[in-house]
Amino acid sequence: MSVDFFSILTKQADVEVQEVGSSEPADSGTPQESGAPVEHSNPLGRQVTLISAVALNLGELLGSGIFSVPGVILKSVGSVGLALTLWLIAPVFAYVALLAYTELASMFPQRSGAEVVFLEQAYPKPRFLVPTAFAVTSVLLSFSATNSIVFAQYMLHILDIPVTEFRQTMLALAAVAFCVGVVGISTKWSLRAVNFLTTFKVLSLTFVALTGIAVLTGHTHITDPYANFHNLWAHSTTNPNLLATGLVKTNYAFIGWANAFNVLNEVKGAHPVRTVRNASMLSLALVTVLFFLVNVAYIAAVPLDEMKNSGQLVGALFFGRVFGGHWVSKVLPMMVALSCIGNIIAVTVGQARVLREVARQGLLPYPEFFASTKPFGTPLAPVSLKCVLTVIVIMSLPAKDAFNFLLDLASYPNLIFAAATAIGVWILRRRRARAGLRPSEFQMPNFALFLWLANCVFLLAMPWVPPEHGRSDVSFWYATYCVVGILVLLVCGLYYYVWIVLLPRLGGYEVVEEVVELGNGARATHLVRKRITTRSDEREPLLASRDR
């Protein structure tokens, strides 16, 4: 069990945790486990309030998802009834996952980074394996390409410029450069931007939902708004692949409820876990209602065949159908584009903290550099790394398949880690019980934990089943993203074996942890080589002294 885990378990959640790191191996033959040291003071400050936490969640939740995936989901599942059902099922799984995150966060209230911390503490053996796998995966998949692509598509639509691969790529890159620049220069201003854009996005979605009600009540030129609601279940698919694909896309729209957990150590107040839990519940409840009403609005105004073939532009299609050539039909797509910008900023704020925690565990090269908060008091190096990776991804993939493939690819390894996190709850509960500690005040019911795990297993297994002919959401092999996701994890395993097992064995050394003080209260773990001492090595100094 790691020093970090014992430090937190043996003190109350609201007491400051002090931890002393050492490069020496643990006594009694027990290997020292990996983990980032608890920082004496928070170098990033404590600027996150309940309102900011809600805004961070909504900033990620209200991105491109609700404006881009409803048509793709409807095409996958076939029927209106099944599509709307998925929009009700997805928030149930999100709420269950929220309960698990709250329980785990209560065990480690001094650590930002959420899942990276939970996995680090739940799976300390084999030493460094799970943190390394999560670290490499987080780095490789920490891009905001999907929202950048949707931003580019909507901007071109607004300007009545044909979408080409070059134009889409250039606009997407410009969006990324602007957003990461804001986050890299100032946390305060990035939070302000998130707050402003989130308020704007909530009002935009509320307007769309109210417009849908106006359509249904006959206050627009749509002649038969209930036509698509007849025979709700007609053409429903029973293909497991297509059902899983639809649920993956719906889950994507709800990604973001946990963003505030990534900045847990920056939350103001005496009860940060309760603050982020309440923020997540509020944001999840709000978007559940809004997303369902917006989908009803789409279905009321847009013919099903057009909606199924709309790709990522279902929002623009809705605006055009309701408002025709009116200027409002241009203003509302601008709301979608700004929603994408707000999402990229909010996601970058959260993921930069995850990458910083990865660096503080010593699992990135140059951990002092990536854990530093200089010169602006922000995690500038992780933000820059995220920018570089996003640029590479945007420029590497065919424009027509980029959105669906990237969305599916990012989901697959994340589902594996989500399943591991669910199992980790039971592991950490058992460890607490063995330490003689009472259960967390936020302990979730076991049946809810089983439900979350079952959802993860279903979404991992079903994409391998062949879809019905012509119903894949990409132009190449339907399970490519599964294979690539697994290859990413295998690369993690190979990297771990070479770095932690093979090279130390060949070089006669071991990898140990050394805590580095970075100034301003910042601390990081630096993994260093230490020569393995043998009996002959211990005798050499003694023989030399006898000769003298």
Side-chain angles (χ1 to χ4, degrees):
M1 196 177 300
S2 66
V3 176
D4 184 30
F5 184 80
F6 271 129
S7 300
I8 295 170
L9 288 188
T10 54
K11 302 189 179 189
Q12 296 298 323
D14 56 347
V15 176
E16 279 295 319
V17 180
Q18 301 293 328
E19 180 184 68
V20 179
S22 172
S23 61
E24 295 298 320
D27 296 331
S28 305
T30 304
Q32 184 182 355
E33 296 169 0
S34 62
V38 173
E39 295 175 310
H40 297 308
S41 62
N42 189 358
L44 296 172
R46 297 186 185 277
Q47 305 179 54
V48 180
T49 62
L50 175 63
I51 294 175
S52 296
V54 171
L56 279 172
N57 288 341
L58 290 177
E60 186 170 354
L61 280 161
L62 302 180
S64 64
I66 188 59
F67 298 110
S68 58
V69 300
V72 180
I73 293 170
L74 182 60
K75 183 177 181 179
S76 291
V77 301
S79 71
V80 170
L82 200 48
L84 291 177
T85 300
L86 291 186
W87 286 99
L88 294 176
I89 291 176
V92 172
F93 292 126
Y95 177 74
V96 170
L98 165 59
L99 296 179
Y101 268 54
T102 302
E103 179 175 348
L104 290 166
S106 69
M107 301 178 190
F108 314 106
Q110 306 295 328
R111 298 282 300 278
S112 294
E115 197 173 17
V116 65
V117 177
F118 307 153
L119 291 169
E120 164 203 294
Q121 298 296 333
Y123 302 98
K125 297 177 182 180
R127 191 178 174 214
F128 304 128
L129 176 58
V130 173
T132 299
F134 187 84
V136 177
T137 304
S138 298
V139 170
L140 292 178
L141 300 181
S142 63
F143 44 74
S144 294
T146 50
N147 276 278
S148 307
I149 291 167
V150 174
F151 167 82
Q153 291 178 347
Y154 271 85
M155 285 302 299
L156 291 171
H157 174 79
I158 292 167
L159 299 172
D160 289 323
I161 298 175
V163 177
T164 65
E165 185 167 344
F166 176 78
R167 291 167 181 164
Q168 176 179 305
T169 300
M170 290 300 102
L171 275 177
L173 293 178
V176 171
F178 171 77
C179 294
V180 299
V182 171
V183 178
I185 292 174
S186 172
T187 297
K188 179 183 291 186
W189 281 101
S190 59
L191 289 176
R192 287 176 177 175
V194 169
N195 291 345
F196 171 76
L197 290 172
T198 297
T199 302
F200 181 78
K201 289 188 287 184
V202 171
L203 293 176
S204 301
L205 275 184
T206 302
F207 181 81
V208 174
L210 292 176
T211 302
I213 294 175
V215 171
L216 290 171
T217 54
H219 289 82
T220 66
H221 66 85
I222 304 297
T223 56
D224 188 4
Y226 293 95
N228 291 336
F229 293 96
H230 301 314
N231 300 318
L232 275 179
W233 305 99
H235 309 297
S236 295
T237 184
T238 57
N239 182 269
N241 180 291
L242 296 175
L243 291 173
T245 298
L247 190 53
V248 164
K249 299 293 192 301
T250 318
N251 286 340
Y252 166 76
F254 284 94
I255 288 176
W257 58 264
N259 200 21
F261 284 91
N262 290 326
V263 296
L264 179 62
N265 198 31
E266 299 175 51
V267 176
K268 286 183 178 180
H271 304 288
V273 176
R274 187 173 288 112
T275 298
V276 295
R277 180 203 61 180
N278 293 342
S280 296
M281 287 183 172
L282 288 171
S283 54
L284 187 56
L286 177 61
V287 299
T288 298
V289 174
L290 285 176
F291 285 1
F292 188 81
L293 291 178
V294 168
N295 272 276
V296 170
Y298 290 160
I299 294 167
V302 182
L304 289 187
D305 288 341
E306 291 186 27
M307 188 171 172
K308 290 178 180 180
N309 296 311
S310 62
Q312 286 77 58
L313 293 174
V314 62
L317 197 60
F318 168 79
F319 302 142
R321 275 278 172 180
V322 175
F323 298 102
H326 197 274
W327 62 270
V328 178
S329 65
K330 296 295 184 183
V331 173
L332 295 180
M334 180 62 73
M335 295 180 179
V336 180
L338 289 176
S339 294
C340 294
I341 294 295
N343 176 274
I344 298 170
I345 293 175
V347 170
T348 302
V349 169
Q351 285 192 343
R353 272 65 182 176
V354 173
L355 293 178
R356 183 173 181 268
E357 282 299 307
V358 168
R360 291 204 322 111
Q361 293 176 16
L363 301 177
L364 285 179
Y366 312 108
E368 297 93 338
F369 172 71
F370 283 104
S372 174
T373 58
K374 298 176 181 179
F376 303 116
T378 64
L380 182 59
V383 168
S384 302
L385 176 61
K386 177 177 170 61
C387 178
V388 170
L389 291 168
T390 302
V391 170
I392 292 173
V393 167
I394 290 175
M395 298 185 69
S396 299
L397 288 172
K400 66 175 182 177
D401 291 319
F403 180 84
N404 285 328
F405 179 74
L406 290 175
L407 192 159
D408 294 339
L409 172 61
S411 72
Y412 205 77
N414 287 338
L415 283 168
I416 293 175
F417 288 120
T421 302
I423 296 171
V425 174
W426 285 306
I427 294 173
L428 291 171
R429 281 180 186 174
R430 184 179 180 185
R431 204 172 293 170
R432 286 179 64 90
R434 286 181 174 177
L437 297 171
R438 63 179 181 273
S440 166
E441 63 175 307
F442 301 107
Q443 183 167 319
M444 67 183 298
N446 279 319
F447 80 87
L449 199 50
F450 275 116
L451 182 64
W452 186 32
L453 182 60
N455 174 59
C456 295
V457 172
F458 173 79
L459 295 179
L460 287 169
M462 293 304 102
W464 294 96
V465 178
E468 296 170 0
H469 181 68
R471 298 281 290 276
S472 176
D473 60 353
V474 292
S475 60
F476 40 83
W477 185 48
Y478 61 90
T480 301
Y481 77 91
C482 302
V483 175
V484 175
I486 292 173
L487 286 176
V488 169
L489 294 177
L490 291 177
V491 168
C492 297
L494 179 62
Y495 172 73
Y496 168 82
Y497 177 77
V498 172
W499 177 39
I500 300 297
V501 179
L502 182 61
L503 292 180
R505 183 182 299 166
L506 296 176
Y509 63 86
E510 62 179 340
V511 177
V512 298
E513 295 169 298
E514 183 179 80
V515 173
V516 179
E517 303 289 343
L518 304 177
N520 298 325
R523 309 175 81 198
T525 297
H526 193 181
L527 301 186
V528 297
R529 299 174 180 178
K530 182 177 180 181
R531 186 180 174 218
I532 298 176
T533 303
T534 63
R535 289 184 176 273
S536 59
D537 294 330
E538 294 172 353
R539 292 179 59 197
E540 285 177 2
L542 179 62
L543 294 174
S545 63
R546 286 179 180 175
D547 292 338
R548 286 197 298 269

